[in-house]
Amino acid sequence: MKCRKCGEKASVNMRQHKLALCREHYLEWVPEQAERFITKYQMFTHDEKVLVAVSGGKDSLSLWDILVRLGYQADGLYIGLGIDAGIGYSAESHRLADKFALEHNLKLHVVDIEKEYGQPIPVMSEISHRGHGKPCAVCGLTKRHVMNRMARDLGYDVLATGHNLDDEAAVLFGNTLSWSMEFLLRQGPVLPSNDGLARKVKPLCRFYEREMTAYALLRGLEYIYEECPFAVGSTSIYYKEVLNRLENDRPGAKLTFYLRFLEARQSGLFVASMNPTGHLHPCTNCGQPTSAPDLCSFCRLIDKVAGQQSLVSNL
Amino acid sequence: MKCRKCGEKASVNMRQHKLALCREHYLEWVPEQAERFITKYQMFTHDEKVLVAVSGGKDSLSLWDILVRLGYQADGLYIGLGIDAGIGYSAESHRLADKFALEHNLKLHVVDIEKEYGQPIPVMSEISHRGHGKPCAVCGLTKRHVMNRMARDLGYDVLATGHNLDDEAAVLFGNTLSWSMEFLLRQGPVLPSNDGLARKVKPLCRFYEREMTAYALLRGLEYIYEECPFAVGSTSIYYKEVLNRLENDRPGAKLTFYLRFLEARQSGLFVASMNPTGHLHPCTNCGQPTSAPDLCSFCRLIDKVAGQQSLVSNL
């Protein structure tokens, strides 16, 4: 297999695009494509300040690398979740995020959940009884809150996350199997700024997971290989497997599924007038928009965690 | 496993419904359910004349059996496609449709495609070059035309087909993977009467395929076991396999996927004002509605087949 651009030996063969490229041209191609998607979906401009959510994994580190190479004003945000699971998951991911920032002379904001809110994610999850014994629901809620808060407090225009096509297609697949309207209406490369929340964007949403792995490897990025230990057995990984089988039988199936969905929505398949979020009010504690009349879900969680702590210290 | 109604040994266990029934109560349950769906989706009333498309397979024969037991005015329509494929497929399916009609003293209309249009389906397909070497596209087009024509000419109010949940979920799955708006907007248990075409209904659309197999077996219906030989390797069978894997991992997944789709559409997920069929005119030859300005697809097909025949006889 030869590189389509220079005829040298190809490093990456993308059946779904009928395209093979050598290392050098692959490392050019990925940022070019990312730039194309950023422009096409009007994610942000060179004048805007971007906050990249960095987990230490291949996707978010590649995203940060790409945005900086493209000349965007992109700082990082690392959220320390306090997940150890016998492999020092959070410690290692923090080290790798730090290392990347240092090597590239970039600004990385760090929020440590335990320091800030009293408990690490797994304990907060146990105390709250949310999420059927898994911390994923509490983790998602917390990360969303912290990302929104940091973007607002530090004056960023836009929040960028490293979700790739496999992530997006799996979520879409799940929402489609259950025809969850609220989520179908919100899913896309851009979630517009709303009630004081920064715009959210996913510049990697059209890259296959394996394309991002190839990018990180060929670029020589050091990233954490392990998935979060709590993700094992999750529904989203199950849907990824189903989609991988479809993709394997019909190369391009995953991309087609996602893109046709975006096109269908764009051309008016869904009812535009439906307001998926309903009426929002500012949370009386943190000020972030919520559909609850008083405290938002996150502040209720933190209340519960704090209550449990004072209960323990009173024993 | 015991029958929920009488405590005797169960013959059929339906994990997806958490319901097990003995033979006797299963044979009661299926028509009761069918009646419930016919009423719920307003398919037809006891005053209307129903034409059941009968292929000789388990679904259509069971459907006919159920409708007659429920006291509906249901006659049959058998369409002889002229498919032999070394197993006498059409001959055997015709024999079984006839046998059922005779044993139950019912009226069966028969249309033989070769006698009526000069060639059997496989030859029509070869001549037309439609459908990528498979006769399925020509077969579908022809069956739709003949069903519509017979319903109109013989004064039936409604056309009923034996599509089961597996059929419907597979079609929905395919249309969803490609987000084919036109088809998503049309799919459902009832396609209303339109431009002189009879209403089309699918009373078995909420029964799993294996539920219909169980019904046919327990009722002692003699039906053709073979799938149409041309269906092997089709996309719809591939999607059925994918859905069967999902169903196997999560019992009820297939039914949930289909029902939530119907609910979402009902509650306005899709744009109601989109006219999926566009402007229709009567075909200048057969009078059936078509989006083409002159002849409909079927009449163009028959023109081509006739042209080829005269070419052959002129040699």
Side-chain angles (χ1 to χ4, degrees), chain B residues 187-226:
Chain B
Q187 197 182 350
V190 176
L191 191 61
S193 139
N194 184 16
D195 288 292
L197 296 184
R199 186 184 330 135
K200 292 201 179 88
V201 300
K202 298 167 184 166
L204 306 184
C205 66
R206 288 177 58 164
F207 289 105
Y208 281 74
E209 172 141 25
R210 61 180 291 274
E211 291 170 6
M212 293 323 301
T213 306
Y215 183 82
L217 290 172
L218 293 177
R219 180 65 81 201
L221 300 179
E222 194 185 350
Y223 64 88
I224 186 161
Y225 291 98
E226 285 79 17

Side-chain angles (χ1 to χ4, degrees), chain A residues 205-220:
Chain A
C205 65
R206 286 177 60 164
F207 289 106
Y208 280 74
E209 173 141 26
R210 62 180 291 272
E211 291 169 7
M212 293 322 301
T213 306
Y215 183 82
L217 290 173
L218 294 177
R219 180 65 81 203

Side-chain angles (χ1 to χ4, degrees), chain A residues 164-169 204-208 254-255 258:
Chain A
N164 60 40
L165 175 65
D166 293 48
D167 298 323
E168 292 301 287
L204 306 185
C205 65
R206 286 177 60 164
F207 289 106
Y208 280 74
K254 215 182 279 183
L255 185 59
Y258 183 63

Side-chain angles (χ1 to χ4, degrees), chain B residues 174-191:
Chain B
N175 289 336
T176 305
L177 284 182
S178 61
W179 293 95
S180 307
M181 299 205 253
E182 186 191 338
F183 296 108
L184 285 174
L185 291 165
R186 285 164 60 92
Q187 197 182 350
V190 176
L191 191 61

Side-chain angles (χ1 to χ4, degrees), chain B residues 10 20 24 28 51 54 79 115 119 127 137 190 192 215 224 231 234 303 311:
Chain B
E24 183 194 344
E28 260 177 38
L51 185 62
V54 179
I79 304 178
K115 278 194 201 134
Q119 295 290 357
I127 293 174
V190 176
Y215 183 82
I224 186 161
S234 70
D303 255 14
L311 214 71

Side-chain angles (χ1 to χ4, degrees), chain B residues 33-246:
Chain B
Q33 291 295 101
E35 179 78 305
R36 196 163 75 81
F37 306 148
I38 290 167
T39 308
K40 178 180 172 69
Y41 298 113
Q42 301 179 294
M43 293 189 181
F44 45 80
T45 65
H46 283 272
D47 297 329
E48 290 182 299
K49 284 179 67 190
V50 182
L51 185 62
V52 183
V54 179
S55 71
K58 64 182 188 317
D59 299 303
S60 58
L61 286 179
S62 295
L63 172 60
W64 202 7
D65 177 89
I66 290 164
L67 294 186
V68 169
R69 281 175 194 276
L70 291 171
Y72 289 104
Q73 306 176 48
D75 297 340
L77 168 62
Y78 176 80
I79 304 178
L81 305 165
I83 293 172
D84 186 80
I87 56 166
Y89 179 77
S90 285
E92 178 65 0
S93 61
H94 190 177
R95 183 182 76 78
L96 293 167
D98 258 346
K99 178 169 181 271
F100 182 89
L102 211 69
E103 282 175 4
H104 295 77
N105 198 22
L106 298 168
K107 187 187 286 180
L108 178 68
H109 304 284
V110 175
V111 173
D112 185 281
I113 297 298
E114 181 169 4
K115 278 194 201 134
E116 202 114 345
Y117 300 106
Q119 295 290 357
I121 291 289
V123 178
M124 279 169 64
S125 169
E126 268 176 46
I127 293 174
S128 75
H129 299 294
R130 288 172 81 117
H132 309 287
K134 281 230 174 200
C136 308
V138 163
C139 188
L141 176 65
T142 303
K143 285 192 293 194
R144 274 192 300 281
H145 176 88
V146 170
M147 289 191 295
N148 286 331
R149 172 168 73 78
M150 292 297 282
R152 180 192 63 191
D153 291 356
L154 304 175
Y156 287 93
D157 302 291
V158 57
L159 255 166
T161 55
H163 295 94
N164 59 41
L165 176 65
D166 293 49
D167 298 323
E168 292 301 286
V171 168
L172 178 60
F173 192 68
N175 289 336
T176 305
L177 284 182
S178 61
W179 293 95
S180 307
M181 299 205 253
E182 186 191 338
F183 296 108
L184 285 174
L185 291 165
R186 285 164 60 92
Q187 197 182 350
V190 176
L191 191 61
S193 139
N194 184 16
D195 288 292
L197 296 184
R199 186 184 330 135
K200 292 201 179 88
V201 300
K202 298 167 184 166
L204 306 184
C205 66
R206 288 177 58 164
F207 289 105
Y208 281 74
E209 172 141 25
R210 61 180 291 274
E211 291 170 6
M212 293 323 301
T213 306
Y215 183 82
L217 290 172
L218 293 177
R219 180 65 81 201
L221 300 179
E222 194 185 350
Y223 64 88
I224 186 161
Y225 291 98
E226 285 79 17
E227 289 266 8
C228 173
F230 291 111
V232 174
S234 70
T235 310
S236 68
I237 288 185
Y238 175 72
Y239 291 147
K240 281 186 184 180
E241 288 165 2
V242 174
L243 289 169
N244 282 340
R245 286 198 293 258
L246 279 169

